[in-house]
Amino acid sequence: MTIAPPAAQRPALRSLPGEFALLRWPADAALPQEAMSAPMCFVSRTDEELSLLCPAALAQSLAATAQQHHPGWRGIGVVGPLDFSIIGLLAELARILAQAQVSLFAVSTFDTDYLFVRSDDLATAESALIASGYHFPGSPQSTR
């Protein structure tokens, strides 16, 4: 069992290109097939809803069929794959963003975690994470 890694061993982060949007349909709605050909999308279905987080361009074409459409999200990915024994990494990242007054939408996959923040909050989120010892390889802000 590992608690969120010390600063020297923290995983790298990466800003995802482009903007994303979150859409919602009733639980019994069919998954729009266009989502399956998107370069990146996240689908979740519960007994209450079908949610899709996808690139903004795709979301725009699907918005008319959705109950709700929330554009304006940017993504930060944890460079993985992550070991399932790591405990508290997502909680630590969320805590850092909460202290910076940045709201987030988190998505986990088999290999890693993604944090989505409002587009206007991306620079604040990156700065807060860097100040807390995380780095974005290739980012000029990360080399300070």
Side-chain angles (χ1 to χ4, degrees), residues 67-102:
Q67 288 178 321
Q68 294 182 36
H69 172 228
H70 292 277
W73 296 89
R74 293 293 309 270
I76 298 171
V78 179
V79 176
L82 300 175
D83 189 300
F84 285 119
S85 66
I86 296 173
I87 296 171
L89 177 60
L90 187 56
E92 177 182 297
L93 296 170
R95 179 192 55 77
I96 292 166
L97 295 183
Q99 287 178 337
Q101 299 294 300
V102 174

PDB file of all heavy atoms in Angstrom, residues 67-102:
ATOM      1  N   GLN A  67     -30.011  16.346 -22.914  1.00  0.00           N
ATOM      2  CA  GLN A  67     -30.802  17.111 -21.951  1.00  0.00           C
ATOM      3  C   GLN A  67     -30.009  18.314 -21.451  1.00  0.00           C
ATOM      4  O   GLN A  67     -30.576  19.364 -21.189  1.00  0.00           O
ATOM      5  CB  GLN A  67     -31.154  16.242 -20.739  1.00  0.00           C
ATOM      6  CG  GLN A  67     -32.170  15.182 -21.002  1.00  0.00           C
ATOM      7  CD  GLN A  67     -32.404  14.353 -19.741  1.00  0.00           C
ATOM      8  OE1 GLN A  67     -31.467  14.041 -19.003  1.00  0.00           O
ATOM      9  NE2 GLN A  67     -33.647  13.980 -19.519  1.00  0.00           N
ATOM     10  N   GLN A  68     -28.720  18.103 -21.269  1.00  0.00           N
ATOM     11  CA  GLN A  68     -27.851  19.165 -20.792  1.00  0.00           C
ATOM     12  C   GLN A  68     -26.541  19.123 -21.556  1.00  0.00           C
ATOM     13  O   GLN A  68     -26.073  18.050 -21.942  1.00  0.00           O
ATOM     14  CB  GLN A  68     -27.575  19.021 -19.295  1.00  0.00           C
ATOM     15  CG  GLN A  68     -28.807  19.230 -18.442  1.00  0.00           C
ATOM     16  CD  GLN A  68     -28.486  19.137 -16.968  1.00  0.00           C
ATOM     17  OE1 GLN A  68     -27.430  19.552 -16.516  1.00  0.00           O
ATOM     18  NE2 GLN A  68     -29.421  18.570 -16.211  1.00  0.00           N
ATOM     19  N   HIS A  69     -25.956  20.300 -21.739  1.00  0.00           N
ATOM     20  CA  HIS A  69     -24.695  20.435 -22.474  1.00  0.00           C
ATOM     21  C   HIS A  69     -23.874  21.493 -21.757  1.00  0.00           C
ATOM     22  O   HIS A  69     -24.309  22.648 -21.659  1.00  0.00           O
ATOM     23  CB  HIS A  69     -24.989  20.849 -23.922  1.00  0.00           C
ATOM     24  CG  HIS A  69     -23.779  21.201 -24.718  1.00  0.00           C
ATOM     25  ND1 HIS A  69     -23.712  22.354 -25.473  1.00  0.00           N
ATOM     26  CD2 HIS A  69     -22.596  20.580 -24.895  1.00  0.00           C
ATOM     27  CE1 HIS A  69     -22.537  22.409 -26.077  1.00  0.00           C
ATOM     28  NE2 HIS A  69     -21.843  21.351 -25.743  1.00  0.00           N
ATOM     29  N   HIS A  70     -22.731  21.097 -21.214  1.00  0.00           N
ATOM     30  CA  HIS A  70     -21.871  22.025 -20.486  1.00  0.00           C
ATOM     31  C   HIS A  70     -20.503  22.069 -21.158  1.00  0.00           C
ATOM     32  O   HIS A  70     -19.640  21.232 -20.902  1.00  0.00           O
ATOM     33  CB  HIS A  70     -21.733  21.609 -19.016  1.00  0.00           C
ATOM     34  CG  HIS A  70     -22.999  21.755 -18.254  1.00  0.00           C
ATOM     35  ND1 HIS A  70     -23.395  22.956 -17.708  1.00  0.00           N
ATOM     36  CD2 HIS A  70     -23.977  20.868 -17.972  1.00  0.00           C
ATOM     37  CE1 HIS A  70     -24.561  22.794 -17.116  1.00  0.00           C
ATOM     38  NE2 HIS A  70     -24.942  21.546 -17.268  1.00  0.00           N
ATOM     39  N   PRO A  71     -20.290  23.052 -22.038  1.00  0.00           N
ATOM     40  CA  PRO A  71     -18.991  23.194 -22.702  1.00  0.00           C
ATOM     41  C   PRO A  71     -17.991  23.902 -21.794  1.00  0.00           C
ATOM     42  O   PRO A  71     -18.334  24.344 -20.688  1.00  0.00           O
ATOM     43  CB  PRO A  71     -19.326  24.049 -23.919  1.00  0.00           C
ATOM     44  CG  PRO A  71     -20.479  24.890 -23.473  1.00  0.00           C
ATOM     45  CD  PRO A  71     -21.270  24.022 -22.516  1.00  0.00           C
ATOM     46  N   GLY A  72     -16.760  24.004 -22.272  1.00  0.00           N
ATOM     47  CA  GLY A  72     -15.772  24.820 -21.593  1.00  0.00           C
ATOM     48  C   GLY A  72     -14.911  24.125 -20.567  1.00  0.00           C
ATOM     49  O   GLY A  72     -14.541  24.715 -19.560  1.00  0.00           O
ATOM     50  N   TRP A  73     -14.555  22.869 -20.808  1.00  0.00           N
ATOM     51  CA  TRP A  73     -13.693  22.113 -19.902  1.00  0.00           C
ATOM     52  C   TRP A  73     -12.348  21.842 -20.557  1.00  0.00           C
ATOM     53  O   TRP A  73     -12.275  21.590 -21.756  1.00  0.00           O
ATOM     54  CB  TRP A  73     -14.343  20.781 -19.523  1.00  0.00           C
ATOM     55  CG  TRP A  73     -15.606  20.949 -18.745  1.00  0.00           C
ATOM     56  CD1 TRP A  73     -16.867  21.068 -19.249  1.00  0.00           C
ATOM     57  CD2 TRP A  73     -15.732  21.034 -17.330  1.00  0.00           C
ATOM     58  NE1 TRP A  73     -17.774  21.218 -18.230  1.00  0.00           N
ATOM     59  CE2 TRP A  73     -17.101  21.196 -17.035  1.00  0.00           C
ATOM     60  CE3 TRP A  73     -14.813  20.973 -16.278  1.00  0.00           C
ATOM     61  CZ2 TRP A  73     -17.577  21.309 -15.739  1.00  0.00           C
ATOM     62  CZ3 TRP A  73     -15.294  21.085 -14.972  1.00  0.00           C
ATOM     63  CH2 TRP A  73     -16.660  21.244 -14.715  1.00  0.00           C
ATOM     64  N   ARG A  74     -11.290  21.884 -19.770  1.00  0.00           N
ATOM     65  CA  ARG A  74      -9.945  21.509 -20.215  1.00  0.00           C
ATOM     66  C   ARG A  74      -9.452  20.367 -19.337  1.00  0.00           C
ATOM     67  O   ARG A  74      -9.805  20.283 -18.155  1.00  0.00           O
ATOM     68  CB  ARG A  74      -8.976  22.692 -20.113  1.00  0.00           C
ATOM     69  CG  ARG A  74      -9.262  23.840 -21.074  1.00  0.00           C
ATOM     70  CD  ARG A  74      -9.037  23.477 -22.551  1.00  0.00           C
ATOM     71  NE  ARG A  74      -7.755  22.868 -22.800  1.00  0.00           N
ATOM     72  CZ  ARG A  74      -6.642  23.525 -23.115  1.00  0.00           C
ATOM     73  NH1 ARG A  74      -6.653  24.835 -23.250  1.00  0.00           N
ATOM     74  NH2 ARG A  74      -5.517  22.871 -23.327  1.00  0.00           N
ATOM     75  N   GLY A  75      -8.625  19.493 -19.908  1.00  0.00           N
ATOM     76  CA  GLY A  75      -8.202  18.302 -19.196  1.00  0.00           C
ATOM     77  C   GLY A  75      -6.745  18.306 -18.784  1.00  0.00           C
ATOM     78  O   GLY A  75      -5.880  18.825 -19.486  1.00  0.00           O
ATOM     79  N   ILE A  76      -6.501  17.686 -17.636  1.00  0.00           N
ATOM     80  CA  ILE A  76      -5.149  17.420 -17.135  1.00  0.00           C
ATOM     81  C   ILE A  76      -5.096  15.928 -16.857  1.00  0.00           C
ATOM     82  O   ILE A  76      -5.912  15.403 -16.096  1.00  0.00           O
ATOM     83  CB  ILE A  76      -4.859  18.207 -15.842  1.00  0.00           C
ATOM     84  CG1 ILE A  76      -4.923  19.715 -16.101  1.00  0.00           C
ATOM     85  CG2 ILE A  76      -3.505  17.792 -15.258  1.00  0.00           C
ATOM     86  CD1 ILE A  76      -4.852  20.565 -14.846  1.00  0.00           C
ATOM     87  N   GLY A  77      -4.156  15.243 -17.494  1.00  0.00           N
ATOM     88  CA  GLY A  77      -4.012  13.807 -17.294  1.00  0.00           C
ATOM     89  C   GLY A  77      -2.806  13.487 -16.442  1.00  0.00           C
ATOM     90  O   GLY A  77      -1.778  14.160 -16.515  1.00  0.00           O
ATOM     91  N   VAL A  78      -2.925  12.464 -15.616  1.00  0.00           N
ATOM     92  CA  VAL A  78      -1.778  11.939 -14.879  1.00  0.00           C
ATOM     93  C   VAL A  78      -1.103  10.952 -15.822  1.00  0.00           C
ATOM     94  O   VAL A  78      -1.753  10.039 -16.347  1.00  0.00           O
ATOM     95  CB  VAL A  78      -2.220  11.228 -13.580  1.00  0.00           C
ATOM     96  CG1 VAL A  78      -1.012  10.674 -12.839  1.00  0.00           C
ATOM     97  CG2 VAL A  78      -3.024  12.170 -12.687  1.00  0.00           C
ATOM     98  N   VAL A  79       0.178  11.142 -16.060  1.00  0.00           N
ATOM     99  CA  VAL A  79       0.892  10.240 -16.958  1.00  0.00           C
ATOM    100  C   VAL A  79       0.976   8.878 -16.276  1.00  0.00           C
ATOM    101  O   VAL A  79       1.473   8.757 -15.161  1.00  0.00           O
ATOM    102  CB  VAL A  79       2.294  10.792 -17.311  1.00  0.00           C
ATOM    103  CG1 VAL A  79       3.064   9.794 -18.155  1.00  0.00           C
ATOM    104  CG2 VAL A  79       2.162  12.135 -18.036  1.00  0.00           C
ATOM    105  N   GLY A  80       0.441   7.874 -16.922  1.00  0.00           N
ATOM    106  CA  GLY A  80       0.384   6.531 -16.348  1.00  0.00           C
ATOM    107  C   GLY A  80       1.140   5.553 -17.209  1.00  0.00           C
ATOM    108  O   GLY A  80       1.901   5.961 -18.085  1.00  0.00           O
ATOM    109  N   PRO A  81       0.913   4.284 -16.975  1.00  0.00           N
ATOM    110  CA  PRO A  81      -0.123   3.745 -16.081  1.00  0.00           C
ATOM    111  C   PRO A  81       0.272   3.862 -14.608  1.00  0.00           C
ATOM    112  O   PRO A  81       1.447   3.836 -14.260  1.00  0.00           O
ATOM    113  CB  PRO A  81      -0.247   2.286 -16.499  1.00  0.00           C
ATOM    114  CG  PRO A  81       1.034   1.951 -17.176  1.00  0.00           C
ATOM    115  CD  PRO A  81       1.590   3.225 -17.733  1.00  0.00           C
ATOM    116  N   LEU A  82      -0.760   3.981 -13.776  1.00  0.00           N
ATOM    117  CA  LEU A  82      -0.577   4.068 -12.337  1.00  0.00           C
ATOM    118  C   LEU A  82      -0.789   2.698 -11.717  1.00  0.00           C
ATOM    119  O   LEU A  82      -1.616   1.919 -12.188  1.00  0.00           O
ATOM    120  CB  LEU A  82      -1.591   5.050 -11.734  1.00  0.00           C
ATOM    121  CG  LEU A  82      -1.518   6.484 -12.249  1.00  0.00           C
ATOM    122  CD1 LEU A  82      -2.660   7.315 -11.667  1.00  0.00           C
ATOM    123  CD2 LEU A  82      -0.176   7.101 -11.909  1.00  0.00           C
ATOM    124  N   ASP A  83      -0.078   2.444 -10.655  1.00  0.00           N
ATOM    125  CA  ASP A  83      -0.223   1.193  -9.911  1.00  0.00           C
ATOM    126  C   ASP A  83      -1.471   1.295  -9.036  1.00  0.00           C
ATOM    127  O   ASP A  83      -1.705   2.324  -8.389  1.00  0.00           O
ATOM    128  CB  ASP A  83       1.021   0.974  -9.044  1.00  0.00           C
ATOM    129  CG  ASP A  83       1.052  -0.398  -8.423  1.00  0.00           C
ATOM    130  OD1 ASP A  83       0.119  -0.730  -7.664  1.00  0.00           O
ATOM    131  OD2 ASP A  83       2.014  -1.137  -8.699  1.00  0.00           O
ATOM    132  N   PHE A  84      -2.267   0.254  -9.003  1.00  0.00           N
ATOM    133  CA  PHE A  84      -3.500   0.273  -8.205  1.00  0.00           C
ATOM    134  C   PHE A  84      -3.229   0.372  -6.701  1.00  0.00           C
ATOM    135  O   PHE A  84      -4.127   0.628  -5.918  1.00  0.00           O
ATOM    136  CB  PHE A  84      -4.351  -0.975  -8.477  1.00  0.00           C
ATOM    137  CG  PHE A  84      -5.059  -0.927  -9.806  1.00  0.00           C
ATOM    138  CD1 PHE A  84      -4.805  -1.883 -10.778  1.00  0.00           C
ATOM    139  CD2 PHE A  84      -5.985   0.056 -10.082  1.00  0.00           C
ATOM    140  CE1 PHE A  84      -5.456  -1.849 -12.003  1.00  0.00           C
ATOM    141  CE2 PHE A  84      -6.647   0.107 -11.296  1.00  0.00           C
ATOM    142  CZ  PHE A  84      -6.376  -0.851 -12.261  1.00  0.00           C
ATOM    143  N   SER A  85      -1.985   0.169  -6.275  1.00  0.00           N
ATOM    144  CA  SER A  85      -1.679   0.246  -4.851  1.00  0.00           C
ATOM    145  C   SER A  85      -1.475   1.680  -4.375  1.00  0.00           C
ATOM    146  O   SER A  85      -1.395   1.929  -3.182  1.00  0.00           O
ATOM    147  CB  SER A  85      -0.434  -0.587  -4.530  1.00  0.00           C
ATOM    148  OG  SER A  85       0.718  -0.019  -5.145  1.00  0.00           O
ATOM    149  N   ILE A  86      -1.396   2.632  -5.299  1.00  0.00           N
ATOM    150  CA  ILE A  86      -1.230   4.032  -4.897  1.00  0.00           C
ATOM    151  C   ILE A  86      -2.532   4.514  -4.276  1.00  0.00           C
ATOM    152  O   ILE A  86      -3.594   4.406  -4.881  1.00  0.00           O
ATOM    153  CB  ILE A  86      -0.840   4.914  -6.090  1.00  0.00           C
ATOM    154  CG1 ILE A  86       0.527   4.511  -6.636  1.00  0.00           C
ATOM    155  CG2 ILE A  86      -0.840   6.384  -5.690  1.00  0.00           C
ATOM    156  CD1 ILE A  86       0.911   5.218  -7.921  1.00  0.00           C
ATOM    157  N   ILE A  87      -2.415   5.044  -3.076  1.00  0.00           N
ATOM    158  CA  ILE A  87      -3.592   5.522  -2.342  1.00  0.00           C
ATOM    159  C   ILE A  87      -3.490   7.027  -2.167  1.00  0.00           C
ATOM    160  O   ILE A  87      -2.451   7.537  -1.757  1.00  0.00           O
ATOM    161  CB  ILE A  87      -3.691   4.841  -0.963  1.00  0.00           C
ATOM    162  CG1 ILE A  87      -3.897   3.342  -1.159  1.00  0.00           C
ATOM    163  CG2 ILE A  87      -4.812   5.445  -0.129  1.00  0.00           C
ATOM    164  CD1 ILE A  87      -3.803   2.547   0.108  1.00  0.00           C
ATOM    165  N   GLY A  88      -4.542   7.726  -2.485  1.00  0.00           N
ATOM    166  CA  GLY A  88      -4.627   9.135  -2.172  1.00  0.00           C
ATOM    167  C   GLY A  88      -4.165  10.096  -3.242  1.00  0.00           C
ATOM    168  O   GLY A  88      -4.218  11.307  -3.033  1.00  0.00           O
ATOM    169  N   LEU A  89      -3.712   9.614  -4.394  1.00  0.00           N
ATOM    170  CA  LEU A  89      -3.222  10.516  -5.425  1.00  0.00           C
ATOM    171  C   LEU A  89      -4.343  11.438  -5.926  1.00  0.00           C
ATOM    172  O   LEU A  89      -4.177  12.658  -5.959  1.00  0.00           O
ATOM    173  CB  LEU A  89      -2.606   9.745  -6.592  1.00  0.00           C
ATOM    174  CG  LEU A  89      -2.119  10.597  -7.765  1.00  0.00           C
ATOM    175  CD1 LEU A  89      -1.035  11.571  -7.309  1.00  0.00           C
ATOM    176  CD2 LEU A  89      -1.619   9.712  -8.899  1.00  0.00           C
ATOM    177  N   LEU A  90      -5.458  10.874  -6.298  1.00  0.00           N
ATOM    178  CA  LEU A  90      -6.569  11.684  -6.783  1.00  0.00           C
ATOM    179  C   LEU A  90      -7.064  12.640  -5.693  1.00  0.00           C
ATOM    180  O   LEU A  90      -7.351  13.807  -5.958  1.00  0.00           O
ATOM    181  CB  LEU A  90      -7.703  10.793  -7.294  1.00  0.00           C
ATOM    182  CG  LEU A  90      -8.864  11.490  -7.975  1.00  0.00           C
ATOM    183  CD1 LEU A  90      -8.400  12.345  -9.146  1.00  0.00           C
ATOM    184  CD2 LEU A  90      -9.883  10.458  -8.455  1.00  0.00           C
ATOM    185  N   ALA A  91      -7.107  12.156  -4.459  1.00  0.00           N
ATOM    186  CA  ALA A  91      -7.516  13.016  -3.344  1.00  0.00           C
ATOM    187  C   ALA A  91      -6.542  14.174  -3.168  1.00  0.00           C
ATOM    188  O   ALA A  91      -6.951  15.313  -2.910  1.00  0.00           O
ATOM    189  CB  ALA A  91      -7.615  12.201  -2.056  1.00  0.00           C
ATOM    190  N   GLU A  92      -5.248  13.905  -3.305  1.00  0.00           N
ATOM    191  CA  GLU A  92      -4.245  14.966  -3.171  1.00  0.00           C
ATOM    192  C   GLU A  92      -4.387  15.996  -4.282  1.00  0.00           C
ATOM    193  O   GLU A  92      -4.335  17.196  -4.039  1.00  0.00           O
ATOM    194  CB  GLU A  92      -2.833  14.374  -3.190  1.00  0.00           C
ATOM    195  CG  GLU A  92      -1.757  15.444  -3.123  1.00  0.00           C
ATOM    196  CD  GLU A  92      -0.360  14.866  -3.180  1.00  0.00           C
ATOM    197  OE1 GLU A  92       0.014  14.106  -2.274  1.00  0.00           O
ATOM    198  OE2 GLU A  92       0.349  15.191  -4.143  1.00  0.00           O
ATOM    199  N   LEU A  93      -4.553  15.536  -5.510  1.00  0.00           N
ATOM    200  CA  LEU A  93      -4.720  16.471  -6.628  1.00  0.00           C
ATOM    201  C   LEU A  93      -5.976  17.310  -6.439  1.00  0.00           C
ATOM    202  O   LEU A  93      -5.968  18.518  -6.669  1.00  0.00           O
ATOM    203  CB  LEU A  93      -4.765  15.700  -7.949  1.00  0.00           C
ATOM    204  CG  LEU A  93      -3.489  14.941  -8.320  1.00  0.00           C
ATOM    205  CD1 LEU A  93      -3.736  14.028  -9.510  1.00  0.00           C
ATOM    206  CD2 LEU A  93      -2.330  15.880  -8.573  1.00  0.00           C
ATOM    207  N   ALA A  94      -7.053  16.682  -5.996  1.00  0.00           N
ATOM    208  CA  ALA A  94      -8.304  17.411  -5.744  1.00  0.00           C
ATOM    209  C   ALA A  94      -8.120  18.422  -4.619  1.00  0.00           C
ATOM    210  O   ALA A  94      -8.630  19.547  -4.694  1.00  0.00           O
ATOM    211  CB  ALA A  94      -9.424  16.435  -5.408  1.00  0.00           C
ATOM    212  N   ARG A  95      -7.379  18.062  -3.580  1.00  0.00           N
ATOM    213  CA  ARG A  95      -7.125  18.982  -2.463  1.00  0.00           C
ATOM    214  C   ARG A  95      -6.352  20.209  -2.938  1.00  0.00           C
ATOM    215  O   ARG A  95      -6.692  21.336  -2.594  1.00  0.00           O
ATOM    216  CB  ARG A  95      -6.341  18.268  -1.354  1.00  0.00           C
ATOM    217  CG  ARG A  95      -6.003  19.173  -0.159  1.00  0.00           C
ATOM    218  CD  ARG A  95      -4.986  18.532   0.775  1.00  0.00           C
ATOM    219  NE  ARG A  95      -3.749  18.126   0.132  1.00  0.00           N
ATOM    220  CZ  ARG A  95      -2.753  18.963  -0.232  1.00  0.00           C
ATOM    221  NH1 ARG A  95      -2.866  20.252  -0.042  1.00  0.00           N
ATOM    222  NH2 ARG A  95      -1.654  18.487  -0.793  1.00  0.00           N
ATOM    223  N   ILE A  96      -5.339  19.982  -3.753  1.00  0.00           N
ATOM    224  CA  ILE A  96      -4.538  21.094  -4.283  1.00  0.00           C
ATOM    225  C   ILE A  96      -5.422  22.044  -5.082  1.00  0.00           C
ATOM    226  O   ILE A  96      -5.353  23.262  -4.923  1.00  0.00           O
ATOM    227  CB  ILE A  96      -3.374  20.554  -5.145  1.00  0.00           C
ATOM    228  CG1 ILE A  96      -2.366  19.824  -4.261  1.00  0.00           C
ATOM    229  CG2 ILE A  96      -2.710  21.671  -5.933  1.00  0.00           C
ATOM    230  CD1 ILE A  96      -1.370  18.966  -5.040  1.00  0.00           C
ATOM    231  N   LEU A  97      -6.269  21.493  -5.931  1.00  0.00           N
ATOM    232  CA  LEU A  97      -7.151  22.339  -6.738  1.00  0.00           C
ATOM    233  C   LEU A  97      -8.203  23.028  -5.881  1.00  0.00           C
ATOM    234  O   LEU A  97      -8.534  24.189  -6.113  1.00  0.00           O
ATOM    235  CB  LEU A  97      -7.784  21.537  -7.863  1.00  0.00           C
ATOM    236  CG  LEU A  97      -6.796  21.000  -8.913  1.00  0.00           C
ATOM    237  CD1 LEU A  97      -7.538  20.285 -10.021  1.00  0.00           C
ATOM    238  CD2 LEU A  97      -5.913  22.102  -9.462  1.00  0.00           C
ATOM    239  N   ALA A  98      -8.706  22.348  -4.869  1.00  0.00           N
ATOM    240  CA  ALA A  98      -9.687  22.974  -3.976  1.00  0.00           C
ATOM    241  C   ALA A  98      -9.066  24.163  -3.249  1.00  0.00           C
ATOM    242  O   ALA A  98      -9.697  25.224  -3.124  1.00  0.00           O
ATOM    243  CB  ALA A  98     -10.216  21.957  -2.970  1.00  0.00           C
ATOM    244  N   GLN A  99      -7.827  24.010  -2.808  1.00  0.00           N
ATOM    245  CA  GLN A  99      -7.149  25.124  -2.130  1.00  0.00           C
ATOM    246  C   GLN A  99      -6.932  26.305  -3.081  1.00  0.00           C
ATOM    247  O   GLN A  99      -6.879  27.447  -2.645  1.00  0.00           O
ATOM    248  CB  GLN A  99      -5.818  24.661  -1.544  1.00  0.00           C
ATOM    249  CG  GLN A  99      -5.994  23.789  -0.324  1.00  0.00           C
ATOM    250  CD  GLN A  99      -4.682  23.277   0.233  1.00  0.00           C
ATOM    251  OE1 GLN A  99      -3.672  23.195  -0.460  1.00  0.00           O
ATOM    252  NE2 GLN A  99      -4.703  22.917   1.508  1.00  0.00           N
ATOM    253  N   ALA A 100      -6.821  26.011  -4.369  1.00  0.00           N
ATOM    254  CA  ALA A 100      -6.652  27.073  -5.372  1.00  0.00           C
ATOM    255  C   ALA A 100      -8.009  27.588  -5.875  1.00  0.00           C
ATOM    256  O   ALA A 100      -8.055  28.385  -6.808  1.00  0.00           O
ATOM    257  CB  ALA A 100      -5.821  26.552  -6.542  1.00  0.00           C
ATOM    258  N   GLN A 101      -9.097  27.110  -5.254  1.00  0.00           N
ATOM    259  CA  GLN A 101     -10.451  27.518  -5.627  1.00  0.00           C
ATOM    260  C   GLN A 101     -10.812  27.108  -7.053  1.00  0.00           C
ATOM    261  O   GLN A 101     -11.494  27.837  -7.773  1.00  0.00           O
ATOM    262  CB  GLN A 101     -10.631  29.035  -5.450  1.00  0.00           C
ATOM    263  CG  GLN A 101     -10.426  29.506  -4.024  1.00  0.00           C
ATOM    264  CD  GLN A 101     -11.499  28.974  -3.091  1.00  0.00           C
ATOM    265  OE1 GLN A 101     -12.671  29.235  -3.270  1.00  0.00           O
ATOM    266  NE2 GLN A 101     -11.102  28.193  -2.098  1.00  0.00           N
ATOM    267  N   VAL A 102     -10.335  25.928  -7.468  1.00  0.00           N
ATOM    268  CA  VAL A 102     -10.611  25.402  -8.804  1.00  0.00           C
ATOM    269  C   VAL A 102     -11.520  24.185  -8.669  1.00  0.00           C
ATOM    270  O   VAL A 102     -11.159  23.201  -8.025  1.00  0.00           O
ATOM    271  CB  VAL A 102      -9.302  25.018  -9.541  1.00  0.00           C
ATOM    272  CG1 VAL A 102      -9.607  24.336 -10.861  1.00  0.00           C
ATOM    273  CG2 VAL A 102      -8.426  26.250  -9.746  1.00  0.00           C
TER     274      VAL A 102
END
